Amino acid sequence: MNIFDLFSPDTCNPLWRNNWCESWDKQTFLKKKEELWDKIVLVDMINHPIEGQETVPISNEMFESWEYPDGTIFVLYCHSWWSSGYVQKQLASKYPQYEFVNLAWGVWLWQYG
């Protein structure tokens, strides 16, 4: 096994991440959720639900089912935001009918920010 096949070296590069990744901070998410509540899905990538928010655990099926209509905005989060930013890039190119946003600084900022 080659460890470098498991991830992209760019995954942890903040300059690479910021060049393409739309992200919302906690306040922006809450405002957008209030405005577009039925179009936004908060996606938990780390099995760590955010208290007070409806979260959906990430799964292989969620983007290929008919459960979410075209135009759904998936807000991805992990612990920090680096991994979710990388996954966001992969999903956006595979599922152009959806919008993908990264929760800035992930669950860490939600809890402490």
Side-chain angles (χ1 to χ4, degrees):
M1 175 179 73
N2 182 350
I3 193 71
F4 296 104
D5 291 339
L6 298 177
F7 67 95
S8 166
D10 291 329
T11 302
C12 297
N13 181 338
L15 297 177
W16 171 79
R17 195 214 139 280
N18 288 328
N19 285 335
W20 62 266
C21 186
E22 180 176 356
S23 61
W24 296 344
D25 61 18
K26 179 179 179 178
Q27 290 72 28
T28 302
F29 169 79
L30 292 172
K31 181 180 178 192
K32 296 279 190 180
K33 184 69 176 171
E34 188 175 303
E35 295 170 2
L36 305 168
W37 64 273
D38 62 336
K39 290 185 73 172
I40 294 178
V41 177
L42 187 57
V43 181
D44 178 0
M45 294 180 49
I46 54 173
N47 196 26
H48 188 144
I50 293 177
E51 189 174 325
Q53 296 296 316
E54 182 179 340
T55 62
V56 175
I58 196 164
S59 70
N60 290 322
E61 297 80 23
M62 72 184 302
F63 306 112
E64 296 177 354
S65 71
W66 294 101
E67 183 176 353
Y68 302 104
D70 291 358
T72 297
I73 302 167
F74 293 100
V75 180
L76 308 172
Y77 73 91
C78 63
H79 290 290
S80 62
W81 75 338
W82 305 116
S83 294
S84 54
Y86 181 74
V87 171
Q88 175 188 11
K89 182 177 181 184
Q90 307 307 310
L91 292 172
S93 64
K94 187 172 182 177
Y95 302 105
Q97 71 272 30
Y98 300 126
E99 184 177 342
F100 295 92
V101 176
N102 196 3
L103 188 62
W105 297 107
V107 74
W108 180 85
L109 181 65
W110 195 280
Q111 292 176 333
Y112 304 110

